[in-house]
Amino acid sequence: MNEIYVDLAVIGGGPAGLASAISAKESGVEKVVVIDRNSWLGGILPQCIHDGFGVEEVGKSLTGPEYAEMYIKKAEEKGIKFMKETMVLSFNKKLQILAVNKKGLYTINSKSIVLATGCREKTRWHALIPGTRPSGIYTAGVAQSFINLYNIMPGKKVVILGSGDVGLIMARRFTLEGAEVAGVVEILPYASGLPRNVVQCLEDYEIPLFLNHTITLIEGKERIEAVTISKVDENMNVIEGSEKRIECDTLLLSLGLIPENEIAKTARIEIDDLTGGAVVNQDFETSIPNTFAVGNCLQVYDTVDVLSIDAKTAGKYAGEKLVYGGKEKFNCIKVVPGNGIRYVVPQKIDRTGKVIISLRVRKPGENLTLVIKAKNKEIFNKKMPWVNPANMVRMEFNVSEEIFSYESIEVELK
Amino acid sequence: MRNFEVAIIGGGVVGCAIARELSKYDVRVVVFEAGSDVASGASKANSGVIHSGINSPPSSLKAILCVEGNKMFPLLSEELSFPVKWTGKFVIAKNEEEVDELERLMETGIKNGVENLEIKEGDEVKKLEPNISCFSALWIPTAGITSPYEFTIALAENAVENGVSFLLETEVNGLNKKNDIFSIKTNRGEFKADIVINASGLNCRKIVSMVEEPDFDIYPCRGEYLVLDKNYRYLINSMIYPVPVKEMGVLGVHLTPTIEGNILIGPSAEFIEDSSDISTTRKMMKQLFHEAKEILPSLPEKGVINAYSGIRCKISSAGEGLADFRIEESRNFRHMINLIGIESPGLTASPAIAKRVVGMISNIIDLREKRDFKVRKRKKRFSEMSVEEKSIMIEKDKRWGRIVCRCENVTEVEIIEALSNILGAKTLSAVKYRCRAGMGRCQGGFCTQHIVRIMEKNFGMKIKDIKLKSPNSYMFCGKTREENE
Ligand SMILES: Cc1cc2nc3c(=O)[nH]c(=O)nc-3n(C[C@H](O)[C@H](O)[C@H](O)COP(=O)(O)OP(=O)(O)OC[C@H]3O[C@@H](n4cnc5c(N)ncnc54)[C@H](O)[C@@H]3O)c2cc1C
Ligand SMILES: Cc1cc2nc3c(=O)[nH]c(=O)nc-3n(C[C@H](O)[C@H](O)[C@H](O)COP(=O)(O)OP(=O)(O)OC[C@H]3O[C@@H](n4cnc5c(N)ncnc54)[C@H](O)[C@@H]3O)c2cc1C
């Protein structure tokens, strides 16, 4: 067993981990280490070779690898240490991390931890589809890594189930590589990916989007041969007689992403069932003091830009807390999602001043108002010309001392 | 080598158990398996229950071999190191009328030699199974669970370790006999043998018809399952069965814990035409959930994460009631032993079936016991090792320090060992069933790419030849772009 002592350990070297490590270092923390199980840094970004990254943050449209490179360079310049090809197995409330790599097992004793373990894709488990279980069924991200990182082509005639962003992007990618994309099948009445991706990845290539449809049968004894798609009614029940058979040799699943928190669970961090990520305060501190959660393991962000901005905030706060000690705190109040809201982050607030609240609405709508209430009293509102579950809503809210006389505040959509 | 004393057709649990039993003797044995790995048929897709023997009529082969097989599992699991858990089983009576059925089952069980049967009152059951409500229940402590594919793989690999030849992706498509010698035609050429064992499961009739007119029919009966997420494992402690459904000759939709920690719901029972149609259907998925909910009202719908099906090899139709196993030498072709209608409890009975078949073989040829018969040593998985053990392993071979499957914590060494299996099975499923890589919550999202790399790099496999599980289940259509483009 190897023993290492650090000030701040970041688990996960994707954009969130790198951004928070850099900010922590800039706040004056001495020994910062980023641990990642991959042989590369940048997390999922090296396989996202399309552009569109960084527009909001740096005003330029970069590819995933370029965006990652920007952070990797900066992290190297700042003297951050990296442990690559190192898998974190667990950690505990004393902030000791157990990790393993080809040189052996490590205990990494840290004073502060940032969790930046990213997300994983929903699998076939999340959409029970009747039929056979042949080869040729991939999650969109796995297909993306095969094509973009390993130069391997999964198939030539593709149907995509789910209209998440990764699936939309892969519809275009497969088309560009000469495959035929027979359609994207979405059970909801609207696409779950970003509107700009629907235009740039489907409409520009005339790929059909079947809304209110789902796949009701998979055929093929060995390799997939066809799927049957069916229309659903407003309660998502299959409408008999609406079946349509589409031949294909590949089915991609783009059913959405889930925060990856198996490591967080080893330390019994409190998890929010609604986000799938840790319960955090406005500064991204979790239920374990001096342990923070950032990036897609906290909540699934729309774009990497906003994710990095939040991760920097968290890194800065984690750093300052280590260097200067914590700020004055109030007793924690809860932030709960009310009518029309699927989730809110942070789930608790324990200081005054400016905080940013991120949330997702339940369904699309126009001309609505977001309201924050404390015991039925409205304390904040924001007009929303339109809302869409695919677009995360962010609002700045100034926390005054008086709200700490309540137990909780509620966010709702009117 | 193309000449053998014994040729076994079919690498399901029955064929593999026979091969392993024969490997204790000095005899040249070959197994032909059409699939890309053993356990490609019913032996992979069943409930994984080690039955006690209460369900078959006294003195039937099913009863005798089930009870005998059940008792062999503790030793087998030690010699072959595959997992077994003696969870016990409840058959529940929902009302007073069904109690008669429990008593009948108990009586049959006692006649069959099943020990320690007991009828418990509903409140007593509740203490052991807090989520189950019933009038009363038959408690069967000798019923257990196993991992059917791990068991079959262990039998096969141990057989090969002791000299048996296994030929995968080798389908028998012709059989005849001249001068007391069988010639067996396959897609890999012709082989010769003195004795042929037909353990081809659902294909048993097809193989028989290669040499004579069969005197039986096959009525394939599909059983579909739902799989419940591991988070709900706590819902039951033992197996929970309803009283058997008589008309179909099946045990009814039940709840079974698995070795991996899931709960199985099923199987359904539906006679079908195509004996290879292992589809799942929307209709059955709904029905299974509905029936299971009657047994376990707190069953959560969102807990269902998977579905699969297996096909029973029935030799009696819906109205005809139960048929027995048939284990017999062909009437016209001596030295051809047919295993016909090996449906449930075939998994449980398989080691006893093997003993019986080897007994029959010993009447034909002289079987001399080997002195150097080897059992299988259990290797600890990385995830089961202590911190010290892990450190030692990494020091010995640094590839123990590279985790390839993050969900089940499987290391590079374990993947390579799985791919180096003595049977030569090289599909992604073969890896999964041997070391669990890809079996976890991300379903291979993270590790598939790394396993594919290992297949390419360490085993020189071509991308186009990589398969999921069966001979034509190709994963890829090739390179995206040629290297020099
Ligand atoms: C398949 C896929 C495709 C995507 N494509 C796009 C896209 O095109 N555009 C876009 O804006 N967003 C995309 N996203 C969203 C993307 O995840 C985010 O934009 C961004 O990469 C998330 O940053 P992160 O740092 O939170 O997570 P990640 O980039 O996923 O980084 C997490 C890192 O943590 C490491 N890690 C996790 N657990 C451990 C452990 N136990 N030990 C050691 N290391 C660990 C991982 O190896 C990984 O490197 C995609 C996501 C996925 C899953
Ligand atoms: C739904 C279901 C649930 C069950 N539950 C249980 C249970 O809980 N407990 C229990 O004890 N039993 C159970 N059983 C019964 C048990 O699964 C079977 O009895 C057992 O698996 C039969 O094994 P087998 O080797 O005869 O057949 P199989 O496993 O079907 O093996 C036959 C093999 O032969 C191969 N083959 C076929 N034709 C050829 C050919 N021409 N050339 C080469 N190879 C060929 C096939 O590829 C196959 O691998 C269940 C069965 C089903 C269907």
Side-chain angles (χ1 to χ4, degrees):
Chain A
M1 179 70 84
N2 307 286
E3 294 263 347
I4 296 182
Y5 294 84
V6 301
D7 295 314
L8 183 127
V10 179
I11 307 177
L18 293 172
S20 51
I22 292 166
S23 301
K25 190 81 189 177
E26 285 172 344
S27 319
V29 181
E30 234 167 84
K31 278 180 101 169
V32 178
V33 62
V34 174
I35 311 161
D36 200 293
R37 61 181 173 219
N38 291 331
S39 57
W40 64 83
L41 292 168
I44 204 83
L45 293 182
Q47 75 181 56
C48 306
I49 60 169
H50 53 283
D51 62 359
F53 295 85
V55 180
E56 286 162 79
E57 193 188 352
V58 292
K60 267 192 293 192
S61 175
L62 307 172
T63 65
E66 285 167 352
Y67 183 93
E69 198 46 43
M70 178 174 87
Y71 274 98
I72 297 167
K73 257 214 189 107
K74 196 152 178 203
E76 280 168 350
E77 281 164 19
K78 298 270 172 205
I80 289 163
K81 296 267 180 303
F82 302 113
M83 287 177 80
K84 289 191 255 185
E85 290 185 83
T86 305
M87 180 82 157
V88 171
L89 298 172
S90 64
F91 76 100
N92 61 26
K93 291 202 160 69
K94 288 192 234 153
L95 308 193
Q96 295 168 308
I97 297 170
L98 179 66
V100 60
N101 64 26
K102 286 188 167 181
K103 295 196 195 98
L105 283 162
Y106 293 80
T107 304
I108 301 161
N109 299 282
S110 30
K111 296 176 188 149
S112 185
I113 290 178
V114 176
L115 296 165
T117 47
C119 57
R120 63 173 185 266
E121 295 181 279
K122 289 191 179 170
T123 67
R124 199 176 164 182
W125 284 3
H126 298 90
L128 263 190
I129 311 165
T132 53
R133 297 144 59 87
S135 67
I137 304 177
Y138 292 90
T139 58
V142 170
Q144 185 181 45
S145 77
F146 276 120
I147 296 183
N148 292 348
L149 297 180
Y150 301 109
N151 190 30
I152 294 173
M153 197 65 184
K156 288 281 181 210
K157 184 154 187 205
V158 187
V159 172
I160 301 176
L161 176 62
S163 57
D165 286 310
V166 193
L168 298 178
I169 284 161
M170 287 317 289
R172 176 174 64 188
R173 189 84 188 100
F174 268 92
T175 309
L176 292 174
E177 289 303 341
E180 180 191 342
V181 179
V184 175
V185 182
E186 170 59 58
I187 196 166
L188 295 172
Y190 48 86
S192 60
L194 290 173
R196 71 155 197 243
N197 281 336
V198 175
V199 175
Q200 292 170 6
C201 300
L202 300 186
E203 290 172 10
D204 288 359
Y205 295 87
E206 294 175 358
I207 297 169
L209 172 61
F210 299 98
L211 296 175
N212 296 308
H213 274 77
T214 188
I215 293 183
T216 47
L217 187 68
I218 293 176
E219 287 173 58
K221 279 186 179 144
E222 301 205 70
R223 174 90 191 190
I224 186 168
E225 286 162 15
V227 296
T228 298
I229 70 170
S230 306
K231 233 181 151 134
V232 299
D233 63 19
E234 54 277 17
N235 300 319
M236 293 204 205
N237 291 318
V238 172
I239 301 172
E240 300 298 330
S242 65
E243 296 82 4
K244 189 172 144 181
R245 186 172 179 275
I246 306 178
E247 280 182 18
C248 61
D249 67 10
T250 305
L251 171 62
L252 293 192
L253 305 176
S254 178
L255 302 167
L257 305 171
I258 325 173
E260 171 73 55
N261 276 301
E262 299 313 310
I263 299 305
K265 285 177 191 161
T266 63
R268 296 178 194 242
I269 278 188
E270 190 186 343
I271 300 284
D272 180 353
D273 281 343
L274 300 173
T275 55
V279 170
V280 292
N281 70 9
Q282 67 291 327
D283 303 313
F284 303 96
E285 196 164 2
T286 67
S287 61
I288 299 182
N290 290 311
T291 301
F292 299 80
V294 297
N296 275 348
C297 74
L298 172 66
Q299 61 170 332
V300 178
Y301 285 84
D302 304 349
T303 63
V304 79
D305 303 49
V306 177
L307 172 148
S308 300
I309 292 166
D310 277 1
K312 283 182 205 162
T313 309
K316 180 164 177 281
Y317 181 81
E320 284 172 358
K321 195 173 170 191
L322 266 189
V323 179
Y324 309 110
K327 289 187 189 158
E328 190 198 346
K329 285 286 171 84
F330 293 83
N331 21 343
C332 223
I333 59 157
K334 281 192 180 144
V335 187
V336 292
N339 241 341
I341 309 291
R342 205 167 83 216
Y343 75 72
V344 234
V345 172
Q347 295 86 346
K348 53 191 188 184
I349 293 179
D350 60 6
R351 66 157 170 79
T352 55
K354 198 184 96 178
V355 304
I356 288 181
I357 293 182
S358 328
L359 58 87
R360 278 187 201 273
V361 299
R362 286 193 177 278
K363 50 178 199 241
E366 281 174 16
N367 297 323
L368 299 162
T369 311
L370 274 171
V371 176
I372 301 184
K373 290 192 314 192
K375 267 216 170 136
N376 295 324
K377 192 179 122 203
E378 195 172 306
I379 53 175
F380 176 89
N381 72 56
K382 183 181 178 181
K383 293 258 175 297
M384 302 296 298
W386 58 272
V387 290
N388 183 354
N391 296 77
M392 179 192 281
V393 178
R394 311 256 295 170
M395 55 185 190
E396 202 176 287
F397 170 56
N398 208 348
V399 178
S400 59
E401 225 177 297
E402 70 178 73
I403 74 161
F404 292 99
S405 58
Y406 302 104
E407 255 170 36
S408 65
I409 57 173
E410 189 177 275
V411 187
E412 70 171 35
L413 189 64
K414 283 214 293 212
Chain B
M1 189 170 64
R2 296 205 160 239
N3 296 322
F4 296 89
E5 282 155 285
V6 182
I8 300 172
I9 306 171
V13 70
V14 172
C16 293
I18 297 170
R20 197 254 175 182
E21 191 58 33
L22 275 176
S23 74
K24 294 176 177 167
Y25 304 92
D26 249 325
V27 53
R28 292 195 317 279
V29 182
V30 65
V31 180
F32 302 110
E33 169 52 51
S36 299
D37 198 352
V38 294
S40 313
S43 301
K44 182 175 66 191
N46 54 55
S47 308
V49 176
I50 305 173
H51 284 296
S52 60
I54 58 163
N55 291 102
S56 309
S59 72
S60 63
L61 275 182
K62 278 185 177 171
I64 297 166
L65 296 173
C66 180
V67 173
E68 192 184 320
N70 177 298
K71 294 203 170 111
M72 293 167 78
F73 271 84
L75 180 64
L76 276 171
S77 127
E78 212 167 281
E79 287 185 348
L80 295 170
S81 61
F82 66 92
V84 169
K85 252 193 195 156
W86 300 102
T87 57
K89 152 172 156 180
F90 280 112
V91 180
I92 60 170
K94 288 200 278 300
N95 47 45
E96 219 169 331
E97 285 124 63
E98 289 187 344
V99 177
D100 291 348
E101 194 54 40
L102 295 188
E103 274 159 9
R104 230 167 297 144
L105 279 174
M106 181 149 156
E107 208 174 298
T108 312
I110 290 169
K111 278 193 194 140
N112 289 346
V114 182
E115 287 162 10
N116 301 322
L117 297 173
E118 184 190 340
I119 292 182
K120 291 185 193 279
E121 294 303 317
D123 50 351
E124 227 183 311
V125 176
K126 194 114 212 157
K127 274 187 215 142
L128 297 164
E129 294 288 356
N131 297 307
I132 303 291
S133 298
C134 62
F135 184 83
S136 62
L138 176 62
W139 171 237
I140 306 137
T142 53
I145 56 172
T146 186
S147 160
Y149 51 83
E150 279 188 59
F151 174 42
T152 309
I153 290 170
L155 286 166
E157 294 192 353
N158 190 228
V160 179
E161 280 155 9
N162 287 297
V164 170
S165 302
F166 258 81
L167 298 173
L168 299 176
E169 301 193 0
T170 306
E171 184 172 356
V172 173
N173 43 40
L175 190 62
N176 58 56
K177 194 174 172 188
K178 241 189 242 149
N179 308 329
D180 274 347
I181 296 194
F182 285 96
S183 50
I184 303 152
K185 288 203 187 67
T186 76
N187 55 327
R188 289 176 199 268
E190 203 167 298
F191 295 83
K192 302 235 182 285
D194 304 328
I195 299 172
V196 168
I197 316 285
N198 172 11
S200 58
L202 281 159
N203 269 351
C204 61
R205 188 175 189 281
K206 200 169 140 195
I207 300 288
V208 169
S209 61
M210 288 174 186
V211 295
E212 62 186 336
E213 187 53 41
D215 63 353
F216 62 94
D217 280 312
I218 299 283
Y219 304 89
C221 179
R222 184 166 60 202
E224 294 186 33
Y225 290 91
L226 298 176
V227 185
L228 215 60
D229 191 279
K230 287 182 190 172
N231 290 337
Y232 301 100
R233 172 65 185 89
Y234 68 91
L235 286 173
I236 54 171
N237 299 311
S238 43
M239 294 169 247
I240 314 288
Y241 280 61
V243 296
V245 200
K246 283 238 195 57
E247 315 83 73
M248 300 291 276
V250 293
L251 301 182
V253 172
H254 48 89
L255 301 172
T256 313
T258 69
I259 291 285
E260 281 92 30
N262 303 88
I263 293 176
L264 299 179
I265 300 172
S268 56
E270 179 190 11
F271 287 95
I272 55 170
E273 292 288 311
D274 175 1
S275 68
S276 67
D277 183 8
I278 46 169
S279 316
T280 52
T281 62
R282 182 168 290 273
K283 183 182 120 214
M284 276 307 173
M285 285 179 174
K286 277 201 184 135
Q287 190 179 323
L288 285 176
F289 189 81
H290 176 78
E291 285 186 35
K293 195 127 178 129
E294 280 187 5
I295 305 177
L296 185 67
S298 52
L299 198 66
E301 191 145 15
K302 68 171 203 268
V304 177
I305 55 164
N306 213 345
Y308 67 91
S309 73
I311 302 183
R312 303 176 184 84
C313 175
K314 287 196 171 292
I315 51 173
S316 55
S317 63
E320 290 174 324
L322 278 177
D324 203 4
F325 292 159
R326 287 176 56 181
I327 302 170
E328 57 199 28
E329 211 173 328
S330 149
R331 282 160 297 135
N332 307 317
F333 286 81
R334 290 190 51 225
H335 304 176
M336 170 156 177
I337 298 172
N338 292 311
L339 293 114
I340 298 162
I342 312 296
E343 53 164 329
S344 191
L347 176 72
T348 313
S350 59
I353 294 175
K355 281 245 185 273
R356 179 168 284 242
V357 170
V358 170
M360 291 163 79
I361 294 172
S362 71
N363 292 332
I364 305 171
I365 52 176
D366 192 23
L367 289 181
R368 244 175 313 124
E369 231 170 292
K370 274 182 200 159
R371 264 202 241 125
D372 56 351
F373 178 76
K374 298 182 264 303
V375 295
R376 235 168 142 240
K377 274 234 183 65
R378 167 108 173 97
K379 277 197 187 146
K380 255 195 194 171
R381 297 179 198 277
F382 182 77
S383 57
E384 298 164 338
M385 292 178 189
S386 69
V387 167
E388 288 73 35
E389 289 171 320
K390 283 176 179 160
S391 296
I392 293 169
M393 295 313 277
I394 299 170
E395 215 158 283
K396 273 200 214 144
D397 182 342
K398 61 185 180 9
R399 294 172 307 173
W400 279 102
R402 179 171 170 232
I403 310 268
V404 175
C405 165
R406 61 174 180 191
C407 302
E408 304 285 322
N409 281 342
V410 184
T411 66
E412 185 176 345
V413 175
E414 292 170 289
I415 304 280
I416 292 173
E417 275 178 9
L419 277 167
S420 316
N421 69 75
I422 194 164
L423 289 172
K426 284 211 168 45
T427 61
L428 283 165
S429 290
V431 174
K432 177 166 96 177
Y433 290 132
R434 282 170 180 79
C435 67
R436 298 191 181 205
M439 213 176 254
R441 56 194 176 274
C442 90
Q443 288 284 287
F446 178 70
C447 65
T448 306
Q449 48 184 312
H450 297 297
I451 298 173
V452 166
R453 296 289 290 173
I454 292 173
M455 288 173 157
E456 271 189 291
K457 232 176 65 204
N458 298 49
F459 294 86
M461 291 170 71
K462 293 259 169 358
I463 282 300
K464 272 191 143 168
D465 296 335
I466 293 176
K467 302 167 189 178
L468 179 64
K469 56 182 175 186
S470 58
N472 294 304
S473 63
Y474 294 102
M475 290 288 292
F476 309 108
C477 63
K479 292 277 177 197
T480 307
R481 294 163 189 217
E482 285 315 316
E483 247 46 277
N484 52 8
E485 221 175 272

